[in-house]
Amino acid sequence: MSGDSGKVYLVGAGPGDPELITLKGMRLLREADVVLHDRLLNEELLRDLKAEIIDVGKAPGRHRLSQEEINELLIKKAREGRIVVRLKGGDPYLFGRGGEEALALRKAGIPFEVVPGVTSAIAAPALAGIPVTHRGISTAFTVVTGHEESGKEKELDWHALARLGGTLVVLMGVSRIQENTSMLMDGGLSPQTPAALIERGSWPDQRCVRGTLGNIAERASLFGVRSPAVLIVGDVVNLERHLGRRRIAILRAESQLDESVRLAERYGFIPVAAPSISLTALELPTDMEDRIERADCVVFTSSNGVAIILSRPELMDLIRKKRVAAIGPRTAQALSERGVNVDVIPDEYSSRGLVEALRGFKRVLLLRSAQGSPELLDGLLSSGAEADDVPVYDIKESEDSRLDDLIRRAELIDVFAFTSGSTVRYLMRRAEELGMEDHLRKALDSALVVAIGPPTAEVLREFGVRVDLIPERYTFEGMLEAARTEIEVRS
Ligand code: SAH
């Protein structure tokens, strides 16, 4: 923009999730000539902007620009006739020194406007399942800073805060949590008062550590909670049990992840996708067509096998003329989506169920993974059938970095969903390779462990992992449903 003076917009960026900026804030970012932002900003917000972008953020102990320098820079850029967005975390006027910047601009005669933002003081607890007020529990909330600059202003009377009632929200509260919680207790607040710390609210690695006023400082250091985090004290914290979303680790192969993530979200979970296995299609025997011709039933035990086999049109044509069995509804769906009629689905979606359902067929062709359970083959043979077991794909350890991330932060997971024995084996193996087996075992011990069916549960037990749940229906959706119900019962 040209003209003698530009304008400065003090824009709240929200707590971290880029979608939590306001529409006005986003529009101004796109229109701006210059953007000045802080350290704790989601880079996503700065993507594809035409503006000159200046990071004025202050890393702790390493001041890049002083507040005075920031004020001067704002004034200078505006005097050049530019539209300047000063992007600040959360809301600009809550502990963000936005007011000081506004005053400096006023003094310099620069036009400015504030664009309020979603503050972490309310949003971080909300996203963790804690409303700051709640009918019948708390009719007021007080927001304070836990880290006052000594000598700068009148000291906070923590004893008075303790008598205030309602909810207390402490920002910048990690480093002095011990002193501050002690003062609240000295002031008469019960050590039993529920308290929680919400770290990096709205970021993908958001974490909520719950406790009481008496032990939250200790728990903060136990869990290594770091800034930015909001401390919240009061009975509303108890609502987290009912309103907090739970994280579910999904360990399936890449090909099934997207669908699984969507399903998990629909069931109210925060999905953490961490493929522990990877699938590779194997070369099929050259006489594959003859083998299909010979069979009187073709059996699929996963949608992966279906996708691989039916990507070959000549095989698809032959299979369409055959009787076809699927181990469960998802495999059946994969078949019917590709125009193959399914004749057999067992009552129980397992190898055992299949053996039962396939009684009466003489020549059975199994198209499945090279690591398929021996139970199916043995069962068929001992019931007198001829079984041709063709490995269609290999299950290997995944090299996906998300698996490592999951293991490192396993303590954040509320539910582990194991969809096959190999997801168990490769997760454990990877944890061992990383030297983090104990860490993972501890996390498994305090989480809800769900196995898709009895054979998977068996593998978990072999590894010494307690199995909490096996759904009635041996499907991924069955697992989600069972886990959700269990969590509701427990809370
Ligand atoms: N103006 C900001 C607060 C700035 S003070 C706002 O309205 O949110 C910085 C403090 O805000 C941090 O020390 C922390 O207590 C809190 N904070 C900022 N972002 C946060 C987040 N995503 N999760 C938890 N706390 C956050």
Side-chain angles (χ1 to χ4, degrees):
M1 194 189 114
S2 58
D4 35 358
S5 182
K7 180 168 176 178
V8 177
Y9 292 92
L10 299 171
V11 175
D17 178 346
E19 291 201 299
L20 292 178
I21 192 171
T22 61
L23 287 174
K24 184 165 183 175
M26 198 62 228
R27 174 174 63 77
L28 289 167
L29 271 182
R30 294 212 181 93
E31 291 172 6
D33 302 309
V34 186
V35 174
L36 276 75
H37 70 88
D38 294 319
R39 184 170 51 97
L40 285 173
L41 189 85
N42 196 320
E43 299 281 327
E44 189 75 16
L45 282 173
L46 304 174
R47 254 210 347 230
D48 302 328
L49 299 184
K50 67 172 166 64
E52 173 193 359
I53 293 170
I54 305 173
D55 180 357
V56 299
K58 299 168 227 138
R62 192 165 57 93
H63 286 251
R64 268 187 255 168
L65 282 187
S66 69
Q67 188 60 54
E68 288 65 36
E69 287 168 325
I70 294 173
N71 297 352
E72 277 163 28
L73 193 56
L74 286 171
I75 293 165
K76 176 169 167 276
K77 294 288 179 188
R79 287 209 171 126
E80 286 168 8
R82 310 225 264 169
I83 296 294
V84 182
V85 164
R86 171 69 178 114
L87 195 58
K88 302 180 75 71
D91 179 89
Y93 280 180
L94 187 74
F95 299 136
R97 305 189 73 171
E100 288 169 59
E101 292 173 14
L103 279 175
L105 293 165
R106 161 83 355 124
K107 213 170 133 200
I110 307 283
F112 76 90
E113 201 178 312
V114 64
V115 180
V118 173
T119 177
S120 64
I122 299 176
L127 293 168
I130 306 172
V132 288
T133 68
H134 191 84
R135 211 175 133 88
I137 298 179
S138 172
T139 53
F141 73 103
T142 310
V143 183
V144 301
T145 164
H147 191 102
E148 292 166 277
E149 291 183 54
S150 49
K152 280 238 171 123
E153 40 218 309
K154 204 167 139 248
E155 259 180 49
L156 252 182
D157 184 347
W158 287 84
H159 290 173
L161 285 176
R163 291 191 302 271
L164 212 51
T167 306
L168 183 62
V169 178
V170 184
L171 267 57
M172 295 175 274
V174 180
S175 59
R176 299 189 27 187
I177 189 168
Q178 181 73 60
E179 294 90 318
N180 295 341
T181 49
S182 297
M183 284 191 282
L184 290 171
M185 288 184 282
D186 289 347
L189 257 188
S190 160
Q192 297 311 318
T193 313
L197 271 163
I198 301 101
E199 180 185 58
R200 287 177 67 76
S202 88
W203 293 81
D205 53 351
Q206 168 182 319
R207 179 160 76 137
C208 176
V209 172
R210 272 178 50 190
T212 61
L213 187 60
N215 69 15
I216 193 75
E218 189 190 319
R219 289 174 65 77
S221 74
L222 180 69
F223 286 95
V225 175
R226 295 197 307 192
S227 182
V230 166
L231 169 68
I232 178 163
V233 181
D235 289 334
V236 287
V237 169
N238 289 334
L239 291 165
E240 191 268 350
R241 234 178 281 150
H242 309 285
L243 305 181
R245 290 167 78 203
R246 301 290 170 239
R247 279 194 164 69
I248 186 168
I250 304 174
L251 301 156
R252 315 185 89 178
E254 184 69 51
S255 51
Q256 291 167 315
L257 270 183
D258 281 356
E259 190 200 342
S260 309
V261 160
R262 269 198 305 278
L263 265 179
E265 273 172 351
R266 210 186 317 136
Y267 276 81
F269 291 100
I270 303 175
V272 179
S276 71
I277 54 174
S278 77
L279 310 180
T280 10
L282 292 172
E283 199 162 327
L284 296 174
T286 46
D287 61 346
M288 198 61 228
E289 291 171 33
D290 293 342
R291 289 180 180 216
I292 296 172
E293 295 274 23
R294 234 180 290 139
D296 48 27
C297 185
V298 180
V299 179
F300 290 91
T301 62
S302 77
S303 56
N304 300 313
V306 173
I308 293 168
I309 292 287
L310 297 190
S311 67
R312 306 244 314 241
E314 73 286 7
L315 299 184
M316 166 122 81
D317 287 343
L318 285 175
I319 286 170
R320 281 209 178 111
K321 294 180 201 139
K322 287 284 161 181
R323 309 268 271 167
V324 172
I327 195 165
R330 272 302 293 123
T331 308
Q333 192 188 333
L335 285 158
S336 47
E337 274 166 6
R338 292 168 175 84
V340 175
N341 274 330
V342 179
D343 307 281
V344 180
I345 305 175
D347 292 331
E348 185 188 290
Y349 310 144
S350 65
S351 297
R352 197 174 63 187
L354 260 179
V355 171
E356 211 43 54
L358 291 172
R359 274 183 204 287
F361 289 104
K362 291 241 155 44
R363 284 177 305 273
V364 178
L365 174 62
L366 304 177
L367 299 175
R368 56 182 190 148
S369 92
Q371 287 74 22
S373 86
E375 194 180 356
L376 179 55
L377 187 63
D378 295 349
L380 287 170
L381 295 176
S382 63
S383 71
E386 265 174 51
D388 186 7
D389 194 3
V390 176
V392 172
Y393 60 96
D394 233 342
I395 300 175
K396 288 214 198 77
E397 177 176 355
S398 112
E399 280 161 12
D400 199 301
S401 64
R402 288 173 291 179
L403 183 61
D404 296 359
D405 295 342
L406 167 78
I407 294 169
R408 292 207 178 88
R409 310 216 67 188
E411 75 281 3
L412 290 185
I413 301 299
D414 302 292
V415 182
F416 283 87
F418 291 100
T419 47
S420 66
S422 28
T423 59
V424 181
R425 284 191 199 97
Y426 291 126
L427 172 69
M428 299 306 280
R429 181 183 297 183
R430 188 76 196 123
E432 204 181 331
E433 283 167 7
L434 293 174
M436 299 201 73
E437 205 190 331
D438 281 352
H439 174 73
L440 175 64
R441 283 183 181 278
K442 261 189 223 131
L444 285 164
D445 203 45
S446 50
L448 188 73
V449 176
V450 192
I452 196 166
T456 305
E458 195 44 48
V459 176
L460 280 160
R461 288 190 198 107
E462 279 165 23
F463 275 93
V465 176
R466 182 202 66 242
V467 179
D468 298 301
L469 268 184
I470 303 172
E472 244 165 70
R473 285 163 57 89
Y474 303 152
T475 61
F476 184 66
E477 198 167 350
M479 298 172 84
L480 294 171
E481 205 178 313
R484 185 173 67 184
T485 310
E486 178 65 20
I487 286 166
E488 277 163 12
V489 170
R490 287 189 182 187
S491 66

